[in-house]
Amino acid sequence: MRGSHTRDGCVVVRLPNWVGDIALALPAVEAIRAARPAARIVGLARDAHCGLARRIGALDEVLPAPAGRGPARAASVWRLAMRLRRMQAGAAVVMAPSFEAALTVWLAGIPRRIGHRTDGRAALLTDAVAPDPTGHRADGLLALAARVPNAGGAEADDGRAPVDTPGLSLALTAGDRRFAQSAFAAAGWPDDARPVFVNPAAAKAPRAWSPARFRALVETLARREPGRRFLVHDRSPFEAPSGWFAAHGAARAGGATLPQLCALLERCAVYVGNDSGPAHLAAALGLPTVTIFGPSAPRVTGPRPRGGATAVEVSAVFACSPCRERFFEECPSPPTRDGRPPCLDAIPVERVAAAVERAVSSPESAP
């Protein structure tokens, strides 16, 4: 039975600060649950991500991480630390790399504090793990999870865990799925439609392929297969002329919460888009993914699809990639006229279209 408040019965997990990293952290969270099946596992997440975190089946409770600025933030850290202290957790896994995340669990008096040795915080951790800058981020998070003692008191042998743990991943609600059903109905699509999810959005503009190329991608795919449907994540900087959506079998996906976005994704055949949070959510839901990479490194942050789904990473592979993304202080070539790095601009529409067609034909994309 879960819910013990003894030190051995509660584990705190400070989730990463970005949506994509939360998705990559799912196997690590599930590994903690596998090691401590009867423990109460409390997740901490940014307020904007709490809704998504509450869909993680391996977590029993989710609390917002500290927010605000200056003195208000310091007070928020203290309040959360005192709340955690009352929970008497025996261990904390700090997946967010910030000093503040480690300080919070240190102030809470949690005896076992596990995290990466980053941001000058090693003294606040009992288990300060050296990060592997060339390894995949998901594996680095699994290495932290492996430090959590299991129910018998021993640690796992290594940082690996099964990628698929039944029943623990993202548990969407009936309300989430009603939103997706309504969106499909508004588009005039049947309930069993399986569109291509197109994501032109990205948190960092220099990671975003141009809106014009995304429009050209949809037009190319629609021309090759009339009747194909597209669900476009209609967020800045994407824009389309009047009538463009209807003319190409596309519908807008806008105004969704993160759980609602997941409900839309799980009804799609394949994801194609930028290296951003939705790519990792799609992979976590078992969708085939086609992800466009510019200055970042697929081997470090590429999607990890579940259920054996296909993952295609499209990149121009410049000699200077991956870079530190100091745009454009270090880039050997000037940016494009719309402010994108040349490694991203060098990826042609035809190459991405071919990757999407391969992914759509994969067994995982079938209804």
Side-chain angles (χ1 to χ4, degrees):
M1 178 180 177
R2 298 186 193 179
S4 171
H5 286 272
T6 66
R7 284 207 178 274
D8 289 337
C10 183
V11 178
V12 172
V13 178
R14 174 57 164 97
L15 292 168
N17 285 328
W18 299 98
V19 171
D21 288 346
I22 291 174
L24 290 175
L26 287 175
V29 177
E30 292 161 9
I32 295 169
R33 167 56 67 205
R36 302 291 291 277
R40 183 166 187 81
I41 301 182
V42 178
L44 309 179
R46 283 182 169 177
D47 190 59
H49 302 155
C50 282
L52 176 65
R54 291 188 178 108
R55 303 307 192 272
I56 299 175
L59 298 177
D60 296 297
E61 182 180 1
V62 174
L63 302 175
R69 295 179 180 275
R73 193 175 190 92
S76 181
V77 168
W78 180 256
R79 285 194 300 271
L80 178 59
M82 294 305 99
R83 184 171 181 178
L84 295 176
R85 183 180 286 269
R86 290 192 294 272
M87 291 182 179
Q88 296 188 334
V93 182
V94 188
M95 297 180 179
S98 66
F99 182 89
E100 177 192 279
L103 176 64
T104 302
V105 298
W106 180 80
L107 288 171
I110 298 174
R112 188 81 180 265
R113 303 178 299 278
I114 303 160
H116 283 123
R117 191 182 295 124
T118 55
D119 206 26
R121 64 185 196 168
L124 299 174
L125 301 169
T126 59
D127 297 56
V129 180
D132 178 1
T134 63
H136 197 280
R137 194 159 295 167
D139 293 332
L141 297 173
L142 278 167
L144 298 182
R147 297 291 187 105
V148 176
N150 62 29
E155 294 175 13
D157 292 334
D158 55 42
R160 306 284 173 166
V163 174
D164 293 299
T165 307
L168 290 178
S169 192
L170 291 173
L172 302 182
T173 68
D176 300 332
R177 293 191 168 104
R178 279 195 298 271
F179 174 89
Q181 187 175 27
S182 296
F184 275 45
W189 295 344
D191 201 50
D192 61 352
R194 298 274 288 170
V196 174
F197 189 93
V198 182
N199 178 38
K204 297 180 180 179
R207 283 192 181 183
W209 212 36
S210 76
R213 291 196 180 184
F214 274 109
R215 291 196 302 269
L217 173 66
V218 170
E219 292 161 9
T220 298
L221 293 169
R223 187 169 57 250
R224 291 180 181 176
E225 186 179 324
R228 180 179 277 164
R229 298 180 175 93
F230 303 89
L231 189 59
V232 181
H233 198 203
D234 188 21
R235 295 182 61 191
S236 178
F238 185 76
E239 55 186 20
S242 177
W244 181 86
F245 281 88
H248 298 96
R252 302 173 187 269
T257 65
L258 289 171
Q260 289 168 345
L261 178 61
C262 288
L264 290 170
L265 283 164
E266 73 173 0
R267 297 174 68 116
C268 294
V270 65
Y271 166 96
V272 56
N274 293 314
D275 169 30
S276 62
H280 297 284
L281 293 177
L285 292 162
L287 261 70
T289 57
V290 176
T291 310
I292 302 167
F293 282 84
S296 50
R299 70 176 183 273
V300 175
T301 60
R304 285 279 183 91
R306 315 194 86 172
T310 301
V312 181
E313 293 146 352
V314 184
S315 172
V317 195
F318 275 33
C320 54
S321 295
C323 68
R324 290 186 292 178
E325 299 186 13
R326 295 181 63 181
F327 309 112
F328 283 90
E329 300 171 31
E330 299 175 343
C331 190
S333 303
T336 62
R337 286 198 294 180
D338 59 354
R340 286 171 174 75
C343 56
L344 197 58
D345 193 56
I347 300 171
V349 170
E350 178 59 39
R351 186 174 168 198
V352 180
V356 172
E357 290 185 321
R358 289 197 305 273
V360 167
S361 63
S362 69
E364 299 86 8
S365 69

